[in-house]
C-alpha cells in the first residue's frame, strides 16, 4: 500500500471505482433506468433482491425518500442482511437449490414486472435461480454484479452459470474478487470492502435515470418525500393511494 492514511486510500479506491462505473457502465445504467421506466409506464411493478450484504443496496431503494415508491423488496427469509443467528446461516441459504423458486411462487411478482437482482459474485444458487425463474415468469431482469467473478471463480449453481448469464441488462460493479481494496504488510488479509458504496451508487443512478425517463414521457414519477420535511407524509400518502396496487411493503 502506498503513502497516505488508510482512510485516504480507501476513499481513493472507492472514488476510482465510482469513476469507472460512471464511465464504463453509462450505457447499461441508461438501459436499466429505461427498462424500469418502461415497466412503470406499462403498469408493471418493480422489485429488488439481494442476499447478505448485497441486500443493503436493494433495501436502499425501497421506501426511500427521493426514491421511486414502486420499488419493492423481494425478501428471502434468512438471507436479508445479518439479522439471523448465526449470521453464517444466510451464506448457507444462498447455496440452497429451490429456495428462489419457492419465494417467487409465493410473491406478488408476475409477468410484466421488473426485478433487479444484486449479487457481488453472482455465483451462488440463489441469485442464479432467481434470475432464471423470474425470466421464466415473464419478468425483465437487471443484474448488478462483479463480472470478474465469472472469469476467476466457478459457479455454485447446477447449470454452471452465473447471474450475468440470465439478465436482460447487466451492471458491472468492477469490484475485484474478494471485495477488499487495501493491503498492509502488518495485516495478514486484504481489507476495506467497497462493494456497498459502488453498488448503492449504481442503484441510485438507475433510479434517477428511471425517474427522469418517466418525466420525459409526461408521466409524473411516483417519488417519495422525506417524512422529516413539512408536507412529506401528506405527499407520500397521496402517492401510495394512487399506486397502492403496486406497493407491497405497506400491507
Amino acid at each position: 500500500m502506498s503513502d497516505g492514511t488508510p482512510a485516504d486510500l480507501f476513499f481513493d479506491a472507492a472514488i476510482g471505482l465510482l469513476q469507472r462505473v460512471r464511465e464504463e457502465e453509462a450505457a447499461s445504467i441508461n438501459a436499466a433506468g429505461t427498462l424500469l421506466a418502461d415497466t412503470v409506464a406499462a403498469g408493471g411493478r418493480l422489485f429488488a433482491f439481494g442476499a447478505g450484504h448485497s441486500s443493503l443496496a436493494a433495501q436502499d431503494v425501497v421506501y426511500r425518500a427521493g426514491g421511486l415508491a414502486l420499488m419493492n423488496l423481494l425478501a428471502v427469509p434468512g438471507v436479508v442482511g445479518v439479522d439471523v443467528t448465526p449470521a453464517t446461516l444466510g451464506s448457507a441459504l444462498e447455496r440452497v437449490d429451490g429456495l428462489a423458486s419457492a419465494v417467487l411462487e409465493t410473491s406478488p411478482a408476475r409477468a410484466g414486472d421488473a426485478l433487479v437482482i444484486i449479487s457481488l459474485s453472482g455465483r451462488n444458487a440463489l441469485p442464479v435461480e432467481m434470475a432464471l425463474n423470474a425470466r421464466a415468469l415473464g419478468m425483465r431482469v437487471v443484474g448488478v454484479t462483479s463480472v470478474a467473478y465469472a472469469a476467476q471463480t466457478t459457479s455454485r449453481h447446477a447449470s454452471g452459470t452465473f447471474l450475468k448469464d440470465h439478465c436482460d441488462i447487466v451492471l458491472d460493479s468492477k469490484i475485484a474478487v474478494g471485495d477488499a481494496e487495501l493491503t498492509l504488510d502488518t495485516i495478514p488479509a486484504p481489507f476495506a470492502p467497497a462493494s456497498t458504496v459502488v453498488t448503492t451508487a449504481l442503484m441510485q443512478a438507475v433510479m434517477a435515470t428511471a425517474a427522469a425517463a418517466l418525466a420525459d414521457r409526461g408521466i409524473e414519477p411516483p417519488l417519495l418525500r422525506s417524512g422529516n420535511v413539512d408536507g412529506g407524509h401528506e405527499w407520500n400518502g397521496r402517492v401510495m393511494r394512487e399506486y397502492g396496487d403496486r406497493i407491497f411493503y405497506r400491507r
Side-chain angles (χ1 to χ4, degrees):
M1 196 162 72
S2 59
D3 293 339
T5 68
D8 287 338
L9 294 170
F10 176 77
F11 281 120
D12 288 343
I15 290 167
L17 285 163
L18 289 170
Q19 289 175 330
R20 281 193 65 194
V21 296
R22 178 182 183 177
E23 296 167 4
E24 298 174 21
E25 297 302 300
S28 295
I29 290 168
N30 184 67
T34 301
L35 185 153
L36 296 189
D38 290 344
T39 303
V40 173
R45 293 84 62 79
L46 308 178
F47 296 88
F49 165 77
H53 286 92
S54 290
S55 178
L56 295 175
Q59 294 178 58
D60 192 54
V61 296
V62 177
Y63 190 48
R64 187 70 163 85
L68 291 172
L70 304 193
M71 184 60 73
N72 300 278
L73 185 68
L74 187 63
V76 178
V79 305
V80 181
V82 290
D83 58 341
V84 293
T85 304
T88 51
L89 174 62
S91 299
L93 289 173
E94 288 186 64
R95 305 180 190 185
V96 174
D97 292 328
L99 183 56
S101 58
V103 168
L104 277 171
E105 287 171 6
T106 56
S107 79
R110 65 188 185 193
D113 294 344
L115 171 61
V116 182
I117 300 176
I118 305 165
S119 173
L120 177 60
S121 72
R123 68 186 301 216
N124 288 312
L126 186 56
V128 175
E129 183 183 309
M130 189 73 77
L132 275 165
N133 283 272
R135 292 182 91 185
L137 282 175
M139 300 178 71
R140 303 292 298 283
V141 176
V142 176
V144 184
T145 187
S146 171
V147 173
Y149 276 83
Q152 300 176 43
T153 68
T154 57
S155 170
R156 290 174 174 152
H157 187 258
S159 66
T161 60
F162 288 76
L163 168 62
K164 73 175 187 63
D165 300 316
H166 306 287
C167 299
D168 296 283
I169 299 167
V170 174
L171 300 177
D172 184 3
S173 63
K174 316 293 180 182
I175 300 295
V177 173
D179 191 17
E181 295 300 320
L182 305 183
T183 58
L184 273 177
D185 292 342
T186 54
I187 299 178
F191 60 104
S195 61
T196 304
V197 174
V198 176
T199 304
T200 300
L202 272 170
M203 290 294 290
Q204 293 297 347
V206 170
M207 297 300 112
T209 301
L214 287 168
D216 287 343
R217 304 176 196 190
I219 301 171
E220 179 185 334
L223 297 170
L224 295 172
R225 304 187 78 170
S226 171
N228 296 312
V229 300
D230 291 343
H233 288 299
E234 291 76 13
W235 173 284
N236 292 343
R238 175 185 65 83
V239 172
M240 290 185 179
R241 285 191 299 273
E242 185 175 349
Y243 291 95
D245 61 331
R246 294 193 257 175
I247 298 173
F248 303 101
Y249 50 80
R250 62 190 294 268
R251 297 180 182 177

